[in-house]
Amino acid sequence: MRVLLMAAALLAAGLAVAPALAQGDYVGTFENWEVRVYGADSAEAPRRCAARAFHPAITEGEVFWVVNTGRLDARPLGYLAVDPRLMLDMAAARVSVDGGPERSLTVGPDGWGYNRQGAAAPLFEAMREGVEMTLVLEPESGEGRRLTVSLLGFTRASRVGREACGLPADPS
């Protein structure tokens, strides 16, 4: 009973930490990335395959690479998706891999941060070849924040995720 009351209190306080993509079918864990599949791949619910980064310092949100079979025409490689809890009140957000060029993220109508359309290919390749990704978050006011995410296992997770969605492991 105490556990139920505590969970209800956390939910009421807005402190629930379950991500929007939490309940998909588990595919596997590859070093610092976990792969899950969501949806039945129908016109109403296209299948989404997501690789989620494990990061001990990120407790209020999560970082995903998502392939959405319903958006392959616009985003054939997939896209980076940053949890709205991390994007809240951010004036700007950028991502870079191994100190390379910073790529701006845009906030969608759902509050998630996404790489810009057309910018997926260089980011995807950099993530597959890189060691770490840095997420730079700059709020409207106050001090910004840098989160470092290990890319160890990302290449395998992205391949397995694509295969789980019925796609070739290595897009061409």
Side-chain angles (χ1 to χ4, degrees):
M1 182 68 162
R2 179 184 290 171
V3 172
L4 290 175
L5 290 173
M6 183 176 251
L10 285 173
L11 287 171
L15 299 176
V17 294
L21 296 175
Q23 301 305 315
D25 294 330
Y26 176 78
V27 175
T29 299
F30 307 94
E31 302 293 337
N32 293 328
W33 292 80
E34 174 186 82
V35 177
R36 290 186 179 264
V37 177
Y38 310 88
D41 206 19
S42 65
E44 298 81 37
R47 180 169 289 165
R48 291 170 292 140
C49 299
R52 179 178 66 92
F54 293 128
H55 191 288
I58 304 176
T59 58
E60 71 280 12
E62 298 183 290
V63 176
F64 297 87
W65 186 269
V66 181
V67 175
N68 182 334
T69 59
R71 308 253 354 251
L72 291 175
D73 56 338
R75 295 181 178 262
L77 298 174
Y79 49 90
L80 183 70
V82 178
D83 194 309
R85 294 171 290 177
L86 290 169
M87 299 301 293
L88 189 64
D89 298 325
M90 291 299 140
R94 299 179 307 282
V95 63
S96 68
V97 175
D98 294 338
E102 290 188 343
R103 296 167 172 92
S104 295
L105 300 179
T106 185
V107 179
D110 56 2
W112 284 77
Y114 298 105
N115 62 281
R116 297 187 184 280
Q117 193 163 341
L123 178 59
F124 183 68
E125 287 309 312
M127 288 175 68
R128 281 184 142 194
E129 296 171 5
V131 174
E132 66 182 25
M133 176 173 64
T134 303
L135 183 62
V136 180
L137 303 169
E138 296 177 352
E140 295 287 341
S141 62
E143 195 162 324
R145 185 170 167 197
R146 298 176 80 82
L147 300 172
T148 302
V149 177
S150 172
L151 294 172
L152 187 62
F154 176 77
T155 299
R156 179 117 189 265
S158 68
R159 287 180 176 143
V160 170
R162 290 184 61 81
E163 289 173 339
C165 265
L167 301 170
D170 288 307
S172 49

